[in-house]
Amino acid sequence: MVNYPNGKKAAVRHEPTSFADRGMKLEKDINRTNDYYRSIDRAIIHKKPTPVTIVKVDYPDRTAAKITEAYFKLPSTTDYNGIYRGKYIDFEAKECAVNTSFPLKSIHAHQIEHLSSVVRHGAIAFLIIRFTGLDITYLADAEEAIAYINSCGRRSIPYEWFTEHAYEIPYNYVRPVDYLSVVDRVYFGEGS
Amino acid sequence: MVNYPNGKKAAVRHEPTSFADRGMKLEKDINRTNDYYRSIDRAIIHKKPTPVTIVKVDYPDRTAAKITEAYFKLPSTTDYNGIYRGKYIDFEAKECAVNTSFPLKSIHAHQIEHLSSVVRHGAIAFLIIRFTGLDITYLADAEEAIAYINSCGRRSIPYEWFTEHAYEIPYNYVRPVDYLSVVDRVYFGEGS
């Protein structure tokens, strides 16, 4: 690192990240993993479409309706759900740029409520949190994470909580976020 | 009906129906039913957002990103899924304006494939078809409907098939499409 003559370090320049691109890498990795799981018929799990409120649509012709005004809507559920080994699976995935804790503001209250509900109904439900600076991805059981969130009174979950209570998700080229290997272990009691 | 002097009947004028409004009544009825089921904690079932490909977004300010160009995308799954009595539930719903048969072109091949997959994985999966002219709504088991579609070589399912193989869904003011009462009977062997 070359310093400026005044002794201050040169500011690290990041490429500006568009809103739409933030957190996209984890999403792409999970989508690729889900595609792989489906291709070998292991699980049928999809990302839900991004919820938008459509205000205006032009119809230049019937086959190519063009939406010209729409707005992003707060999601009322999590992004991913489906079926695995006969069980309903539901999870939310988030990237976290901070190395020391996961800020709870990145998960909406609706999504926490949704996770609580599906757990009560017998779902396998969890969070997938990637600490991008550490390049490590965790699976945290929804029930356990929600219990912590409700009891802690904090606005974030410290990184240590993940090392103690969550499970590292292994990386694999064809299954970049191989979360079902963790699900097998944690929810079906398989492996070590 | 007053005829024109040439003896031809006057063309019946329909109000133009916008693409976005077609089939919306059934969707609204199912959404209201699902809201009710959730309110009494009977089942957690949601409609998935309409899939769109977002091309252009304006950012007048951070909180109100405006989508200015987007297109409707073919859905890769069905519209509805969730959990009921610990089981994964998955279905597609369609209105049918013809009284004599349900045209198969209104269900995409992807959706049929998706239903086959989830059935293989142990889901409760079905179609909800409303014959709007007859004001009657049926639940047809996905496996049975797909077997018929694959064997019949036709481009539509005749109405008689529904009267023989499907189940009429009762109407109720707070549960306009009370499909879970049929699910209880058909998939859990309850009631008469």
Side-chain angles (χ1 to χ4, degrees), chain A residues 19-20 41-42 44 46 49 51-52 54 59 65-72 77 81-83 86 88 114 117 120-121 123, chain B residues 19-20 41-42 44 46 49 51-52 54 59 65-72 77 81-83 86 88 117 120-121 123:
Chain A
F19 186 77
D41 206 28
R42 186 165 173 199
I44 311 296
H46 285 268
V52 298
I54 297 166
Y59 298 93
K66 181 181 175 184
I67 300 162
T68 53
E69 187 180 352
Y71 299 92
F72 293 104
T77 67
N81 73 358
I83 187 167
Y88 174 83
H114 173 77
S117 300
R120 205 167 51 239
H121 283 261
Chain B
F19 187 77
D41 206 29
R42 186 165 174 199
I44 311 297
H46 285 267
V52 298
I54 297 167
Y59 297 93
K66 181 182 173 183
I67 299 162
T68 55
E69 187 180 351
Y71 299 91
F72 292 104
T77 67
N81 73 358
I83 187 167
Y88 174 83
S117 301
R120 206 167 50 239
H121 283 261

Side-chain angles (χ1 to χ4, degrees), chain A residues 1-13:
Chain A
M1 171 78 71
V2 179
N3 290 348
Y4 282 112
N6 63 4
K8 284 190 185 157
K9 282 180 179 169
V12 179
R13 269 155 222 264

Side-chain angles (χ1 to χ4, degrees), chain A residues 84-157:
Chain A
Y84 177 54
R85 297 175 72 162
K87 301 280 277 178
Y88 174 83
I89 290 252
D90 197 301
F91 62 96
E92 183 61 27
K94 291 288 176 198
E95 290 195 354
C96 174
V98 187
N99 289 352
T100 51
S101 69
F102 170 68
L104 291 173
K105 68 171 175 351
S106 53
I107 297 192
H108 304 294
H110 269 131
Q111 297 182 310
I112 296 287
E113 265 172 55
H114 173 77
L115 285 168
S116 296
S117 300
V118 295
V119 165
R120 205 167 51 239
H121 283 261
I124 293 175
F126 47 86
L127 301 171
I128 292 181
I129 309 291
R130 175 176 288 173
F131 290 90
T132 50
L134 306 168
D135 195 23
I136 189 165
T137 308
Y138 286 104
L139 182 154
D141 175 59
E143 198 172 4
E144 223 176 318
I146 292 168
Y148 177 81
I149 291 167
N150 290 339
S151 69
C152 71
R154 295 174 50 139
R155 290 174 174 203
S156 64
I157 305 181

Side-chain angles (χ1 to χ4, degrees), chain B residues 101-105 148 152-158:
Chain B
S101 68
F102 170 69
L104 290 173
K105 68 172 175 351
Y148 177 79
C152 69
R154 296 173 51 135
R155 289 177 177 202
S156 63
I157 305 180

